[in-house]
Amino acid sequence: MSTTLIPEPDDAQISVVPRRSVWRHLRRDPQAVATAIILIVLFLAGLLSPLISPHDPNAASLDAINLPTGTPGYLLGGDESGRDILSRLLYSFQTATVSALIGASVALAIGVIAGLVGGYFGTAVRSSTEWLFNLIMTFPGLITLIVLLPLTHGDYRWTMLVLGVLMSPGTYRIVRNLVLGVKKELYIDAAKVSGLGDVRILARHVLFAVRGPIIVNTAFLMGSAIAAQSGLAFLGVGAKDVPSFGLMIYSGFNNIYASPLQFVWPCISLGIFTGCLVLFGNSLRDAFSGPRIKRQKPAQGLRLVTSAIPTSVVTATVERDDEPMLAIEDLGISFPGTTGAREVVKGVSLTVDQGEVVGLVGESGSGKTQTAFAVLGVLAPEARVTRGSVRLEGRELVGLSESALRSLRGRVVSYIPQEPMSNLDPSFTVGSQLTERVRHTLRVSRRAARQTVLDLLARVEIPDPPRVFRSYPHQISGGMAQRVLIAGAVACRPRLLIADEPTTALDVTVQAEILDLLRDLQKEFGMAILLVTHNFGVVADICDRIAVMRGGEIVETGVTREVFRAPRHAYTRGLLDAILDEGAPAGGDASTVGAGR
Amino acid sequence: MLAYVLRRLLIGVVLAVLVTFITYLLLSGSFRDMVSTLLGPDVTAADITRRTHALGYDRPVVVQYVDWLGHAVRGDLGTSLFTSSAVAPTVLSHIVVTMSIVFPALLIAVILSVTLGVWAASRSGAPDRIAQSISLVGHVIPALLTAIVLVVVFAVELKIFPATGFVQFIDSPVGWLRSVTLPVVVLVIAGMASITAQVRGSMIEELSKDYVRTLRTAGLPARSIVLKHALRNAGSPALTVISLEFISLFSHSVIIENVFALPGFGSFAFSSAQNIDVPVIMGVTLVSVVLVTVINLIADVANGYLNPKARLH
């Protein structure tokens, strides 16, 4: 039974953590300690079985036939041929251990070497290894082991060797994916530059970096090998004089009416052996992937962690005519970290009036994107609003449910992301994605929605709207994709548009066109824009007012022209100096100003 | 899309031919053993040589294989050397029994795993713990044990299901259902482990992607985002696991059908391999490989349908 021929989905994502912390993690994990102790005992029992077995496992004695459990000399009783069950069980541990070692080593030897080679060298080498492993995967599992019986002559060791080959594609895939990731690391380039040969780099650096998942995989391979060997022996494949769990389960099972306990011992043994291997493998996986933050419930609206909502917020929910488009007051957002909650937005206050364009400027990590996400109600699930209020045309958003927020999104407030490609669903055509949006918010027929979308695509200056309508995201350019996202965002005439670095991921020539388009659309629809950016050039181009953010706080706000002329805060001055220096290596204060994400 | 399907089909055929050829090559060392088994004890080496020659097993392996393949593509798999019955119908009658537990089990496992995986990924909390526990149980307990426990509890002790035997669907649909229920349950538990883990994992990954957030900012309902967008993108890796899981369930079934004494493929393959009945062994191999190839092809085509980028390769 090849139970786990498939790598677990997490395997490729296991990050590399220092060896010492893996050890510490394992020692503190009761599951790891318990399963490791059991496994060591079982391996030892297998290795020492010739010394500690009370009887020869194949010696049949007429007196011992179906002896009950607990008979002196026959602790677990005798089987249907009068052989000592305890001795056979101990020898079965040996068979299982040898099976695990052969199966896992063969799979590892083939899978790791081919994975290193296939992942490290170019596409030509990789496509040949892919072919080889596709071929191996076409072999029909255990049926292969059975039909090759004439070749293996029923010797379980040869069978396990073939099984190792059949299991190798799983290991190959894990290693290949890891190596593809590691190959991009700078230290590999450094090793190449310093003149190390490929073999040496593979053996020393790459193999070392990917060892964690390989160790984890070994535990699962061993479990699979033992399960497969037992299954085959149960079927009758293999020599009759080699005691194994499968053989013992078979005879005990057939003898169930005469002696119902006989099949229990090998079943429990097999279950404990493979179970401990899998559980130990899981513990190893946890240890290698490091401390894990508990997964949070997704899409729960904007929740406040403290139940105490400031009174000012409660009274402010009354709608007034003079309410600004967006009013953020004393907003705090925190993320759980390994050392407790970390506040990334610390009391931000900001207003955007109807039809006003406000730039939110700051380096990456300053909390500007999280502030923008809070307005949309799409903070990451683990993020918490710790204090403050966010009002959209006077309506308090903090504390609103996901469905209440949903009714505002797309209609009142809309969003343009930074990276256009990753923000379109790769599996649907541009047309079907926009049509779904339009149909959902405007509640119109498919045909009407299609026409609306084509008009929108033309409005955002896309040259051939019907062609782009039919295209998948990977078939259009980044600039084109950003125009598509803008079309989607303005489809339902929102009154506030949140644009998060809308030009950062684009070519310089395209950036200007997109800004022109945004400006035109803003004038045409009279919508307010909150533009999140690290680029003062963009701010100067389009914004009425700016707010400068640093370390989760707003350090300066003002009319764009005035801030540019006379920045009051040293940080703003640093940022402004940085634009003048752009292109030249930044020094002094400006070095704190990153180029954004 | 048609070009894509044809290309995958061609790759499948090439792989199937290679697998059967490698198997033939590996078996070629045992041809004399087979003839010796066939002739029984008390024969001289000369007798074996003569008979091997008469049967054509002393020709070059490639010639023999091409000869076999030439007949196989016309549906002629020869006759068993030991029972003289035609190989094709015998192999098919056994594979039908095995597939009548493998296919329902795969279908049920896929439906349950996808439901559970999507539920776990989009809700976390209790559903997530349930999904992870089911996945763990399937990995920790070998299918052979699940099978034995179910037989002992439901057939031997409670006598709800028959312990052994297979009833043809045509003879008695209810009897058939009763005879396949326990084996199917065993395979479903085994199959759900990997598929649930994969669906859960790739759904969590998809739901954390940028486009999901952007869809949320468009005001689309969660149901559409999860079931239409994220699930479709999570489908590709899940399909790979499902096609691999077919081989795994096929492997499990040849053993657990023995627990339930179903006249399936495993014991049939085993007895032909014991006798080194080469025509039957090749028939067993061919049918298995064709099944694996067809399942992979279906997975590839489904992947091409779900994932527009896959059609390029």
Side-chain angles (χ1 to χ4, degrees):
Chain A
M1 274 168 300
S2 36
T3 33
T4 323
L5 289 171
I6 304 136
E8 291 290 295
D10 313 353
D11 274 348
Q13 281 117 49
I14 295 178
S15 58
V16 181
V17 273
R19 193 185 310 178
R20 194 177 300 159
S21 92
V22 170
W23 263 114
R24 199 180 314 142
H25 195 287
L26 279 181
R27 277 208 314 270
R28 284 186 194 159
D29 178 0
Q31 180 179 301
V33 175
T35 51
I37 291 173
I38 296 173
L39 285 173
I40 290 170
V41 170
L42 296 184
F43 276 127
L44 281 180
L47 286 177
L48 301 177
S49 55
L51 301 174
I52 57 177
S53 296
H55 298 268
D56 182 300
N58 291 316
S61 157
L62 283 177
D63 306 331
I65 290 177
N66 291 340
L67 269 183
T69 309
T71 314
Y74 291 85
L75 209 55
L76 295 180
D79 69 4
E80 86 285 1
S81 330
R83 295 170 296 189
D84 178 37
I85 289 182
L86 179 61
S87 305
R88 290 182 68 72
L89 214 49
L90 288 170
Y91 272 88
S92 298
F93 280 116
Q94 188 180 40
T95 311
T97 306
V98 173
S99 303
L101 291 177
I102 297 177
S105 347
V106 173
L108 284 176
I110 299 175
V112 170
I113 292 173
L116 287 174
V117 169
Y120 184 76
F121 294 104
T123 36
V125 177
R126 183 152 64 250
S127 54
S128 17
T129 50
E130 293 291 304
W131 253 96
L132 178 68
F133 285 97
N134 277 338
L135 178 64
I136 296 177
M137 282 200 289
T138 311
F139 279 93
L142 282 197
I143 292 287
T144 310
L145 298 182
I146 296 171
V147 299
L148 290 182
L149 196 56
L151 192 74
T152 57
H153 296 289
D155 187 330
Y156 77 95
R157 287 166 298 190
W158 286 107
T159 310
M160 286 302 110
L161 200 142
V162 181
L163 178 73
V165 177
L166 294 181
M167 291 196 298
S168 63
T171 311
Y172 164 75
R173 287 181 161 203
I174 296 173
V175 177
R176 175 253 272 151
N177 287 344
L178 287 164
V179 173
L180 282 174
V182 169
K183 205 171 86 168
K184 297 191 197 97
E185 300 283 343
L186 288 174
Y187 66 88
I188 299 296
D189 287 336
K192 272 188 196 161
V193 171
S194 65
L196 286 185
D198 283 333
V199 174
R200 210 172 145 82
I201 294 178
L202 276 176
R204 286 287 299 277
H205 297 274
V206 180
L207 188 58
F208 185 75
V210 304
R211 71 196 186 285
I214 297 176
I215 295 171
V216 174
N217 182 234
T218 308
F220 293 115
L221 287 173
M222 289 179 136
S224 301
I226 293 174
Q229 197 278 329
S230 308
L232 286 170
F234 180 84
L235 195 58
V237 179
K240 295 284 175 286
D241 57 351
V242 178
S244 69
F245 298 134
L247 216 52
M248 291 185 72
I249 293 173
Y250 180 77
S251 61
F253 186 54
N254 282 332
N255 209 15
I256 191 165
Y257 293 102
S259 176
L261 268 182
Q262 277 181 15
F263 86 97
V264 172
W265 307 118
C267 278
I268 291 177
S269 307
L270 172 63
I272 289 177
F273 211 157
T274 57
C276 282
L277 279 167
V278 172
L279 291 174
F280 185 64
N282 273 342
S283 291
L284 276 174
R285 189 204 308 276
D286 288 346
F288 274 106
S289 50
R292 198 177 291 181
I293 295 164
K294 206 171 148 254
R295 217 157 66 75
Q296 298 293 326
K297 290 191 171 201
Q300 289 295 307
L302 267 187
R303 280 171 305 174
L304 201 65
V305 276
T306 51
S307 52
I309 296 172
T311 43
S312 64
V313 176
V314 177
T315 50
T317 48
V318 184
E319 230 168 284
R320 298 199 311 261
D321 283 346
D322 58 342
E323 276 288 347
M325 183 65 231
L326 171 70
I328 303 175
E329 268 174 45
D330 191 32
L331 178 69
I333 300 169
S334 76
F335 277 83
T338 43
T339 54
R342 192 170 47 88
E343 210 172 34
V344 294
V345 174
K346 302 164 183 165
V348 162
S349 297
L350 178 73
T351 55
V352 179
D353 282 323
Q354 299 280 359
E356 189 186 27
V357 182
V358 174
L360 186 56
V361 195
E363 61 192 278
S364 56
S366 61
K368 55 192 194 310
T369 297
Q370 297 307 323
T371 307
F373 284 170
V375 176
L376 291 155
V378 291
L379 286 169
E382 64 271 21
R384 288 288 174 272
V385 176
T386 49
R387 56 187 153 134
S389 95
V390 178
R391 272 170 293 148
L392 202 59
E393 296 181 320
R395 187 170 177 189
E396 180 57 56
L397 299 188
V398 174
L400 272 195
S401 69
E402 176 71 12
S403 62
L405 286 168
R406 191 186 302 138
S407 64
L408 298 172
R409 294 186 199 132
R411 296 183 179 86
V412 180
V413 59
S414 205
Y415 169 71
I416 303 172
Q418 173 178 171
E419 167 56 55
M421 275 309 177
S422 67
N423 278 286
L424 287 168
D425 184 338
S427 298
F428 288 89
T429 60
V430 165
S432 78
Q433 294 187 48
L434 290 178
T435 309
E436 185 188 9
R437 235 184 129 138
V438 167
R439 287 198 67 190
H440 178 73
T441 26
L442 297 182
R443 308 258 169 230
V444 291
S445 73
R446 189 176 294 274
R447 177 176 298 188
R450 185 189 151 85
Q451 194 50 52
T452 310
V453 169
L454 285 172
D455 292 346
L456 272 170
L457 290 177
R459 177 64 196 84
V460 296
E461 291 153 25
I462 280 171
D464 185 357
R467 189 187 64 81
V468 172
F469 189 92
R470 286 190 308 270
S471 301
Y472 285 98
H474 69 269
Q475 293 167 325
I476 59 177
S477 70
M480 206 65 91
Q482 191 59 294
R483 286 175 195 275
V484 167
L485 283 160
I486 292 174
V490 301
C492 307
R493 303 286 174 102
R495 294 191 287 280
L496 173 64
L497 182 67
I498 307 235
D500 185 5
E501 306 264 11
T503 57
T504 308
L506 305 174
D507 290 341
V508 181
T509 46
V510 185
Q511 288 187 0
E513 293 170 23
I514 294 287
L515 279 182
D516 285 343
L517 175 63
L518 277 180
R519 198 188 355 250
D520 291 350
L521 289 170
Q522 190 266 332
K523 291 219 176 77
E524 186 180 332
F525 298 155
M527 61 188 172
I529 298 181
L530 178 63
L531 186 77
V532 176
T533 183
H534 70 277
N535 187 335
F536 268 100
V538 172
V539 173
D541 212 4
I542 185 169
C543 293
D544 303 322
R545 278 195 310 124
I546 73 172
V548 182
M549 249 186 118
R550 184 193 197 187
E553 289 168 22
I554 292 204
V555 294
E556 177 161 5
T557 53
V559 175
T560 309
R561 191 181 292 267
E562 283 164 19
V563 172
F564 267 75
R565 193 163 14 136
R568 276 165 301 169
H569 197 279
Y571 178 68
T572 316
R573 272 199 295 280
L575 279 175
L576 281 169
D577 289 345
I579 344 172
L580 303 175
D581 289 348
E582 209 150 87
D589 271 357
S591 65
T592 56
V593 181
R597 283 186 292 154
Chain B
M1 189 72 186
L2 184 69
Y4 167 78
V5 174
L6 288 176
R7 199 162 53 236
R8 303 311 304 183
L9 182 65
L10 184 70
I11 291 174
V13 169
V14 170
L15 286 175
V17 168
L18 276 173
V19 169
T20 48
F21 176 66
I22 291 170
T23 308
Y24 204 90
L25 198 64
L26 291 173
L27 289 173
S28 63
S30 313
F31 287 165
R32 280 183 69 86
D33 293 346
M34 166 184 71
V35 176
S36 149
T37 317
L38 189 62
L39 293 175
D42 308 326
V43 286
T44 62
D47 291 338
I48 295 176
T49 308
R50 206 175 312 119
R51 191 62 184 270
T52 309
H53 181 72
L55 291 169
Y57 284 108
D58 56 350
R59 294 173 295 162
V61 178
V62 177
V63 175
Q64 290 183 47
Y65 174 75
V66 170
D67 189 25
W68 174 83
L69 188 65
H71 285 94
V73 292
R74 277 172 276 154
D76 173 17
L77 294 178
T79 52
S80 162
L81 294 175
F82 290 81
T83 64
S84 303
S85 53
V87 172
T90 334
V91 171
L92 287 179
S93 74
H94 284 96
I95 197 82
V96 163
V97 175
T98 300
M99 288 305 126
S100 71
I101 61 172
V102 170
F103 280 129
L106 189 67
L107 190 70
I108 296 169
V110 167
I111 292 170
L112 292 179
S113 303
V114 171
T115 313
L116 195 62
V118 168
W119 193 43
S122 54
R123 286 292 149 80
S124 76
D128 201 18
R129 280 194 293 279
I130 294 172
Q132 285 183 289
S133 312
I134 287 183
S135 181
L136 192 62
V137 165
H139 276 130
V140 167
I141 306 174
L144 175 61
L145 289 193
T146 330
I148 297 224
V149 169
L150 288 184
V151 168
V152 170
V153 173
F154 289 101
V156 177
E157 296 294 330
L158 300 175
K159 297 188 169 52
I160 300 173
F161 291 102
T164 59
F166 182 71
V167 179
Q168 291 286 350
F169 182 79
I170 314 155
D171 296 343
S172 158
V174 176
W176 171 82
L177 196 63
R178 278 163 55 87
S179 69
V180 299
T181 300
L182 286 182
V184 166
V185 169
V186 174
L187 291 187
V188 167
I189 294 172
M192 276 183 74
S194 296
I195 307 176
T196 307
Q198 178 63 55
V199 171
R200 174 187 172 273
S202 39
M203 277 302 286
I204 288 175
E205 197 185 324
E206 288 302 325
L207 286 174
S208 68
K209 284 197 175 163
D210 286 349
Y211 74 86
V212 167
R213 183 173 52 227
T214 302
L215 289 170
R216 282 178 68 201
T217 66
L220 292 182
R223 193 194 312 155
S224 162
I225 295 174
V226 172
L227 295 183
K228 186 174 166 188
H229 295 276
L231 183 57
R232 178 156 180 175
N233 284 291
S236 294
L239 276 171
T240 312
V241 169
I242 290 168
S243 66
L244 288 174
E245 205 54 29
F246 170 77
I247 302 182
S248 176
L249 289 191
F250 190 13
S251 295
H252 285 121
S253 74
V254 302
I255 288 159
I256 66 130
E257 69 194 10
N258 227 36
V259 176
F260 297 95
L262 300 181
F265 208 55
S267 38
F268 172 67
F270 176 49
S271 63
S272 70
Q274 248 182 339
N275 289 333
I276 327 182
D277 194 341
V278 171
V280 183
I281 295 179
M282 289 309 292
V284 165
T285 309
L286 180 72
V287 168
S288 316
V289 170
V290 166
L291 271 172
V292 172
T293 312
V294 167
I295 294 290
N296 287 346
L297 184 68
I298 293 172
D300 282 340
V301 172
N303 192 22
Y305 167 75
L306 287 181
N307 176 3
K309 278 191 216 166
R311 289 169 220 162
L312 302 174
H313 305 304

